[in-house]
Amino acid sequence: STAYYVSIVGGYSNSNSGYYGFIGGGFDNSNTGHCSSIVGGYCNTISAGYQNLSFIGGGENNTISSDYGFIGGGQGNKVITGIRSSIVGGQNNTVSGGYNFIGGGTYNTASGARSSIVGGTLNTASATYTFIGGGHSNKTFSQAYVGFIGGGKSNTTSGQYSFIGGGRSNIILGSNADSVIVGGNSNCIFDSLSDAFIGGGTGNTISSYSETSFIGGGSSNTISDYACRTSIVGGILNTASANCSFIGGGENNCILPTHSHAFIIGSNLT
């Protein structure tokens, strides 16, 4: 100890040089933060910040270099910048924004603000007020204010107030607001402005500026550009390109752009 009012209770090769610092035990821990504590573990580090007041419970090679940071344990976790961020555990998780939370998992990154990743692997929250429940390689981009991804794999959103429940490789792109993909595989909502919905299925698409449109499920169904307030309930290879049109299901149905308010139930109809 080389500073005032510091304590090292036990352990080996621990260093405590911040004011009012505490190290409970463990091996090769370093605390240069003020009013900060390392309870135990191995090679954990709290480095000096403006105020610090940070805490590491244990684990191995965990690092806090921001104020009011918390790491419960795990291995290789880092709270780098921002204030009042927490990592409960896991491995190689990183927080670089303020008021963020990572519960556990591996290689997750929260770089926005006031965002949460509960667990999983290689998930990234880059926006403000976003949530990723778990899964693998899910991402909320910086534009995705209040975005939500429940889980699944390789789902991404950049839409504000957007929701992806799960599934795989589902995408909400552009300036979408209040758009939803519940699940499925490789479904996409492009820059539809607002209130687009895909329930599930595979390879379904709501294209640009098709606001308030709906695809329930099925496979390879498409609502084309500018086809607003249009619905495809399900089926395969159906395309709706007109406003206020409806396809109930079936296969290879097509509503042309000039046929607004059209209604199809069946197959191979235009």
Side-chain angles (χ1 to χ4, degrees):
S1 298
T2 59
Y4 294 109
Y5 310 112
V6 299
S7 299
I8 298 177
V9 177
Y12 175 71
S13 191
N14 295 307
S15 174
N16 193 2
S17 58
Y19 289 103
Y20 301 98
F22 173 86
I23 295 179
F27 172 63
D28 210 16
N29 297 302
S30 175
N31 184 7
T32 61
H34 306 314
C35 303
S36 296
S37 299
I38 299 174
V39 177
Y42 170 66
C43 282
N44 296 306
T45 302
I46 297 176
S47 58
Y50 178 68
Q51 292 179 310
N52 250 218
L53 295 162
S54 294
F55 176 92
I56 296 176
E60 178 181 350
N61 289 314
N62 298 304
T63 302
I64 297 175
S65 55
S66 65
D67 295 332
Y68 303 98
F70 175 92
I71 296 177
Q75 182 181 26
N77 297 306
K78 297 179 181 179
V79 178
I80 300 173
T81 59
I83 62 172
R84 302 183 190 277
S85 289
S86 300
I87 298 174
V88 177
Q91 184 178 11
N92 296 315
N93 298 302
T94 302
V95 168
S96 58
Y99 300 91
N100 286 327
F101 172 87
I102 296 178
T106 57
Y107 295 99
N108 297 303
T109 301
S111 59
R114 295 175 169 85
S115 292
S116 297
I117 299 174
V118 178
T121 301
L122 290 169
N123 297 305
T124 303
S126 301
T128 302
Y129 294 112
T130 57
F131 176 93
I132 298 176
H136 191 292
S137 301
N138 297 303
K139 296 181 181 180
T140 58
F141 289 104
S142 58
Q143 309 96 310
Y145 179 79
V146 198
F148 178 100
I149 298 177
K153 182 178 181 181
S154 300
N155 299 302
T156 60
T157 179
S158 59
Q160 295 184 8
Y161 303 98
S162 57
F163 176 98
I164 298 177
R168 185 176 66 181
S169 300
N170 297 303
I171 302 173
I172 298 176
L173 293 174
S175 57
N176 288 290
D178 305 303
S179 290
V180 173
I181 298 176
V182 178
N185 180 24
S186 300
N187 298 302
C188 185
I189 297 175
F190 285 98
D191 196 354
S192 65
L193 299 183
S194 65
D195 302 311
F197 180 97
I198 297 177
T202 301
N204 298 303
T205 301
I206 296 178
S207 303
S208 299
Y209 308 110
S210 300
E211 59 184 329
T212 323
S213 290
F214 171 94
I215 296 177
S219 177
S220 302
N221 298 302
T222 301
I223 295 176
S224 302
D225 293 351
Y226 298 99
C228 301
R229 297 173 295 281
T230 292
S231 298
I232 299 175
V233 177
I236 303 172
L237 293 169
N238 298 302
T239 302
S241 302
N243 290 332
C244 304
S245 56
F246 177 91
I247 297 176
E251 182 177 358
N252 290 317
N253 296 301
C254 180
I255 297 177
L256 300 175
T258 54
H259 295 170
S260 61
H261 298 88
F263 183 101
I264 290 177
I265 293 180
S267 293
N268 302 305
L269 300 172
T270 300

